[in-house]
Amino acid sequence: MTIAVLGAGSFGTAVANHLARTGHEAVLWCRAAEQARHINAHHRNPRYLKDYPLLEALRAVAAPEEALAGANRVILALPTQSLRGVLERLAGLPLEGRSFLSLAKGIEIATGLMPRSIFEAVLPGRPYSALSGPSHAEEVVRELPTAVIVASSDPSEALGWQTELNSPRFRVYTSGDVTGVELGGAVKNVIAIAVGIAHSLSAGDNAKAALATRGLAEIMRLGAAMGASPLTLAGLAGVGDLMATCYSPHSRNFRFGAAIGRGASPEAAEAEIGQVVEGAHTVKALVAYAREAGIELPISEGVHAILCEGAELQDVINRLLFRDPKPE
């Protein structure tokens, strides 16, 4: 089967290489023509995962129209803030018979929408699924064991993606809870920034564990308000992804938070990472939604205060530490 992967960042590259390894014809769309030429000539991505060789069977192209030609399955490996623009570009193309799978983990700042809602607004009626779970690109490309979850409101769509993606090294579970899968993937990035800050401040393992655990409480609180299943958030898309993102040096959001904790500005921290840090953008939409809905998210609010309001780190820490004690 020919599967198009739109987006040649770290995870898009790793997933496309995985597809090629499992026998599919994988076509990877790159925004830059030079990036596509380099991948085809040297079998390495010159911008992301530069140290890892890619399979010769993986083909890169510079136009989404070329990637979609002959592909009846399309993977959207795009940052949430870029998703709408690419979908609008696709809207004018013949898309009949194609299924879509989003890898995005975030919330659109301008609208407060998660990826499924963005997709449905631009490409209504098209089959849609979402993939999430603890899956660092650096480990997927090395074939280290990984487990993820694919969710769709149509069980046959989730099963179809499971069939195409599953392998002994990349285990795929299915779910019908798209809201829970996308929510867990979005909010854990914000919590990981808080844990990264704590790490640089030498707050200790106890504090980092407390932040991650209370961060899960915030995810669960949001999930209850948005109709997500608590079982989803207790699984790979919730606890699993939260653990990987909060404690791994591969995590962009953790490393971004660590840079903030060392005194870097948000702009300098993102430049240091060199890739989109979803949590730094998601926190804006997340806090706006929570304030409007009356949902208490003290850790997310603290991250927002630091990144968007110029609050001092110690002031935010004191605000969290001196909150009134209450039952868990």
Side-chain angles (χ1 to χ4, degrees), residues 105 132-139 183-197 199 208 211-212 219 235-258 276-280:
K105 296 181 178 181
S132 194
S135 48
H136 291 306
E138 296 86 350
E139 298 188 358
L183 179 67
V187 183
K188 56 90 182 181
N189 287 328
V190 177
I191 305 306
I193 292 173
V195 174
I197 292 171
H199 176 77
K208 288 184 284 186
L211 283 169
I219 295 172
L236 289 168
V239 174
D241 212 1
L242 182 68
M243 291 171 63
T245 309
C246 285
Y247 296 116
S248 172
H250 294 313
S251 167
R252 280 175 267 172
N253 293 277
F254 173 84
R255 289 187 284 123
F256 174 86
V276 174
V277 179
E278 285 280 20

Side-chain angles (χ1 to χ4, degrees), residues 116-198:
R116 174 175 60 176
S117 297
I118 300 169
F119 182 90
E120 290 175 346
V122 181
L123 298 178
R126 304 292 177 193
Y128 177 85
S129 303
L131 181 147
S132 194
S135 48
H136 291 306
E138 296 86 350
E139 298 188 358
V140 173
V141 78
R142 292 166 55 202
E143 294 188 78
L144 296 182
T146 299
V148 297
I149 186 166
V150 169
S152 177
S153 58
D154 181 346
S156 66
E157 283 295 316
L159 286 169
W161 283 109
Q162 181 186 54
T163 298
E164 303 307 331
L165 290 170
N166 195 71
S167 79
R169 295 283 180 166
F170 194 81
R171 184 170 177 80
V172 182
Y173 292 85
T174 61
S175 169
D177 183 13
V178 180
T179 298
V181 166
E182 292 194 333
L183 179 67
V187 183
K188 56 90 182 181
N189 287 328
V190 177
I191 305 306
I193 292 173
V195 174
I197 292 171

